[in-house]
Coordinates of all heavy atoms in Angstrom, one line a residue:
R1 N 8.6 -20.8 10.8 CA 7.5 -21.3 11.6 C 6.6 -22.1 10.6 O 6.6 -21.8 9.4 CB 6.7 -20.1 12.1 CG 5.4 -20.5 12.9 CD 4.6 -19.2 13.3 NE 3.5 -19.5 14.0 CZ 2.5 -18.7 14.4 NH1 2.7 -17.4 14.2 NH2 1.5 -19.0 15.1
T2 N 5.8 -23.0 11.1 CA 4.7 -23.6 10.4 C 3.4 -23.3 11.2 O 3.3 -23.5 12.4 CB 4.9 -25.2 10.4 OG1 6.0 -25.5 9.7 CG2 3.7 -25.8 9.6
R3 N 2.5 -22.7 10.4 CA 1.2 -22.2 11.0 C 0.0 -22.8 10.4 O -0.1 -22.9 9.2 CB 1.2 -20.7 10.9 CG -0.1 -20.1 11.6 CD 0.0 -18.6 11.7 NE -1.3 -18.1 12.3 CZ -1.5 -16.9 12.7 NH1 -0.6 -15.9 12.5 NH2 -2.7 -16.5 13.2
N4 N -0.9 -23.1 11.2 CA -2.2 -23.6 10.8 C -3.2 -22.5 10.7 O -3.3 -21.7 11.7 CB -2.8 -24.7 11.7 CG -1.9 -26.0 11.8 OD1 -1.3 -26.3 10.8 ND2 -1.6 -26.5 13.0
Y5 N -4.0 -22.4 9.7 CA -5.0 -21.4 9.5 C -6.4 -22.0 9.4 O -6.6 -23.1 8.9 CB -4.7 -20.5 8.2 CG -3.5 -19.6 8.3 CD1 -2.3 -20.1 7.9 CD2 -3.6 -18.4 8.8 CE1 -1.2 -19.3 7.9 CE2 -2.5 -17.5 8.8 CZ -1.3 -18.0 8.4 OH -0.1 -17.3 8.4
G6 N -7.4 -21.2 9.9 CA -8.8 -21.6 9.9 C -9.2 -22.1 11.2 O -8.5 -22.0 12.2
P7 N -10.3 -22.7 11.3 CA -11.3 -22.9 10.1 C -12.1 -21.7 9.8 O -12.4 -20.8 10.6 CB -12.3 -24.0 10.7 CG -12.3 -23.8 12.1 CD -10.9 -23.4 12.6
T8 N -12.4 -21.5 8.5 CA -13.2 -20.4 8.1 C -14.7 -20.7 8.2 O -15.0 -21.8 8.7 CB -12.9 -20.1 6.5 OG1 -13.3 -21.3 5.8 CG2 -11.4 -19.9 6.2
L9 N -15.5 -19.8 7.9 CA -16.9 -20.0 8.0 C -17.4 -21.2 7.1 O -18.4 -21.9 7.5 CB -17.7 -18.7 7.5 CG -17.5 -17.5 8.4 CD1 -18.3 -16.3 7.8 CD2 -18.0 -17.8 9.9
A10 N -16.6 -21.5 6.1 CA -16.9 -22.7 5.2 C -16.3 -23.9 5.7 O -16.4 -25.0 5.1 CB -16.5 -22.3 3.8
G11 N -15.5 -23.8 6.9 CA -14.9 -25.0 7.4 C -13.6 -25.3 6.8 O -13.1 -26.4 7.1
E12 N -13.0 -24.4 6.1 CA -11.7 -24.7 5.5 C -10.5 -24.5 6.4 O -10.5 -23.5 7.2 CB -11.5 -23.8 4.2 CG -12.5 -24.0 3.1 CD -12.3 -23.0 2.0 OE1 -11.8 -21.9 2.2 OE2 -12.8 -23.3 0.8
E13 N -9.5 -25.3 6.3 CA -8.3 -25.2 7.1 C -7.1 -25.4 6.2 O -7.2 -26.2 5.3 CB -8.3 -26.2 8.3 CG -9.4 -26.0 9.3 CD -9.3 -26.9 10.5 OE1 -8.1 -27.3 10.9 OE2 -10.3 -27.3 11.1
W14 N -6.0 -24.8 6.5 CA -4.8 -25.0 5.7 C -3.5 -24.7 6.5 O -3.6 -24.1 7.6 CB -4.8 -24.2 4.4 CG -4.8 -22.7 4.7 CD1 -3.6 -21.9 4.6 CD2 -5.9 -21.8 4.9 NE1 -4.0 -20.6 4.8 CE2 -5.3 -20.5 5.0 CE3 -7.2 -22.0 5.1 CZ2 -6.2 -19.4 5.4 CZ3 -8.1 -21.0 5.5 CH2 -7.5 -19.6 5.5
T15 N -2.4 -25.2 6.1 CA -1.1 -25.0 6.7 C -0.1 -24.4 5.9 O 0.0 -24.8 4.7 CB -0.6 -26.4 7.3 OG1 -1.6 -27.0 8.2 CG2 0.7 -26.3 8.0
R16 N 0.7 -23.5 6.4 CA 1.7 -22.9 5.5 C 3.1 -22.8 6.3 O 3.1 -22.4 7.5 CB 1.3 -21.5 5.1 CG 0.1 -21.5 4.2 CD -0.1 -20.2 3.5 NE 1.0 -19.9 2.5 CZ 1.1 -18.8 1.8 NH1 0.2 -17.9 1.9 NH2 2.1 -18.7 1.0
D17 N 4.2 -23.1 5.7 CA 5.5 -22.7 6.2 C 5.8 -21.3 5.9 O 5.5 -20.7 4.9 CB 6.5 -23.7 5.6 CG 6.4 -25.1 5.9 OD1 5.7 -25.4 7.0 OD2 6.7 -26.0 5.1
Q18 N 6.5 -20.7 6.9 CA 6.8 -19.2 6.8 C 8.3 -19.0 6.7 O 9.1 -19.7 7.3 CB 6.3 -18.6 8.0 CG 4.7 -18.6 8.1 CD 4.2 -17.8 9.2 OE1 4.9 -17.3 10.1 NE2 2.9 -17.7 9.3
Y19 N 8.7 -18.0 5.8 CA 10.1 -17.7 5.6 C 10.2 -16.1 5.6 O 9.4 -15.4 5.0 CB 10.5 -18.2 4.2 CG 10.4 -19.7 4.0 CD1 9.1 -20.3 3.7 CD2 11.4 -20.5 4.3 CE1 8.9 -21.6 3.5 CE2 11.3 -22.0 4.2 CZ 10.1 -22.5 3.8 OH 10.0 -23.8 3.7
H20 N 11.4 -15.7 6.0 CA 11.7 -14.3 5.9 C 12.1 -13.9 4.5 O 12.7 -14.6 3.8 CB 12.9 -13.9 6.8 CG 12.6 -13.8 8.2 ND1 11.6 -12.9 8.7 CD2 13.1 -14.4 9.4 CE1 11.6 -13.0 10.0 NE2 12.5 -13.9 10.5
N21 N 11.6 -12.7 4.1 CA 11.9 -12.1 2.7 C 12.3 -10.7 2.9 O 11.5 -9.9 3.4 CB 10.7 -12.3 1.9 CG 11.0 -12.1 0.4 OD1 12.0 -11.6 0.0 ND2 10.0 -12.4 -0.4
L22 N 13.5 -10.3 2.6 CA 14.1 -9.1 3.2 C 14.9 -8.3 2.1 O 15.7 -8.9 1.4 CB 15.0 -9.4 4.4 CG 15.6 -8.2 5.2 CD1 14.5 -7.5 6.0 CD2 16.7 -8.8 6.1
I23 N 14.7 -7.0 2.1 CA 15.5 -6.1 1.3 C 16.1 -5.1 2.2 O 15.4 -4.4 3.0 CB 14.6 -5.4 0.2 CG1 14.1 -6.4 -0.8 CG2 15.5 -4.4 -0.6 CD1 13.1 -5.8 -1.8
S24 N 17.5 -4.9 2.1 CA 18.1 -3.9 3.0 C 18.8 -2.9 2.2 O 19.4 -3.2 1.1 CB 19.2 -4.6 3.8 OG 18.5 -5.7 4.6
L25 N 18.7 -1.6 2.6 CA 19.4 -0.5 2.0 C 20.3 0.1 3.1 O 19.8 0.6 4.1 CB 18.5 0.6 1.5 CG 19.1 1.8 0.9 CD1 19.9 1.4 -0.4 CD2 18.0 2.9 0.5
R26 N 21.7 0.0 2.8 CA 22.6 0.4 3.9 C 23.7 1.3 3.4 O 24.0 1.4 2.2 CB 23.2 -0.9 4.4 CG 22.3 -2.1 4.7 CD 22.9 -3.2 5.3 NE 24.0 -3.7 4.6 CZ 24.9 -4.7 5.1 NH1 24.8 -5.1 6.3 NH2 25.9 -5.1 4.4
L27 N 24.3 2.0 4.4 CA 25.5 2.8 4.1 C 26.7 2.1 4.7 O 26.6 1.7 5.9 CB 25.3 4.2 4.6 CG 24.5 5.2 3.9 CD1 24.4 6.5 4.6 CD2 24.9 5.4 2.5
L28 N 27.8 2.0 4.0 CA 29.0 1.4 4.5 C 30.1 2.4 4.5 O 30.4 3.0 3.5 CB 29.3 0.1 3.6 CG 28.3 -0.9 3.3 CD1 28.9 -2.0 2.4 CD2 27.7 -1.5 4.6
Y29 N 30.8 2.4 5.7 CA 32.1 3.3 5.7 C 33.2 2.4 5.9 O 33.2 1.7 7.0 CB 32.0 4.4 6.7 CG 33.1 5.3 6.6 CD1 33.1 6.4 5.7 CD2 34.2 5.2 7.4 CE1 34.1 7.2 5.6 CE2 35.3 6.1 7.3 CZ 35.2 7.1 6.4 OH 36.3 8.0 6.3
V30 N 34.1 2.3 5.0 CA 35.2 1.3 5.0 C 36.5 2.0 5.6 O 36.9 3.0 5.2 CB 35.6 0.9 3.6 CG1 36.6 -0.2 3.6 CG2 34.3 0.3 2.9
L31 N 37.0 1.3 6.6 CA 38.2 1.8 7.3 C 39.4 1.0 6.8 O 39.3 -0.2 6.4 CB 38.0 1.5 8.9 CG 36.7 2.1 9.5 CD1 36.6 1.7 10.9 CD2 36.8 3.7 9.4
N32 N 40.6 1.6 7.0 CA 41.9 1.0 6.6 C 41.9 0.5 5.2 O 42.5 -0.5 4.8 CB 42.1 -0.2 7.5 CG 43.6 -0.6 7.6 OD1 44.5 0.3 7.5 ND2 43.8 -1.9 7.7

């Protein structure tokens, strides 16, 4: 996603691109 933020009380606006950041902890049971 690309998101626009603001305006703040000071009138500031900015744009940021968004990305997933993920850590997974899993159990695996292997067959065959």
Side-chain angles (χ1 to χ4, degrees):
R1 180 186 181 183
T2 298
R3 180 168 179 177
N4 299 318
Y5 290 92
T8 64
L9 294 177
E12 297 177 337
E13 296 185 32
W14 64 99
T15 301
R16 296 195 66 181
D17 293 335
Q18 297 183 351
Y19 302 85
H20 282 304
N21 194 347
L22 185 73
I23 298 173
S24 304
L25 180 62
R26 316 186 304 169
L27 286 176
L28 312 179
Y29 188 82
V30 184
L31 306 172
N32 200 33

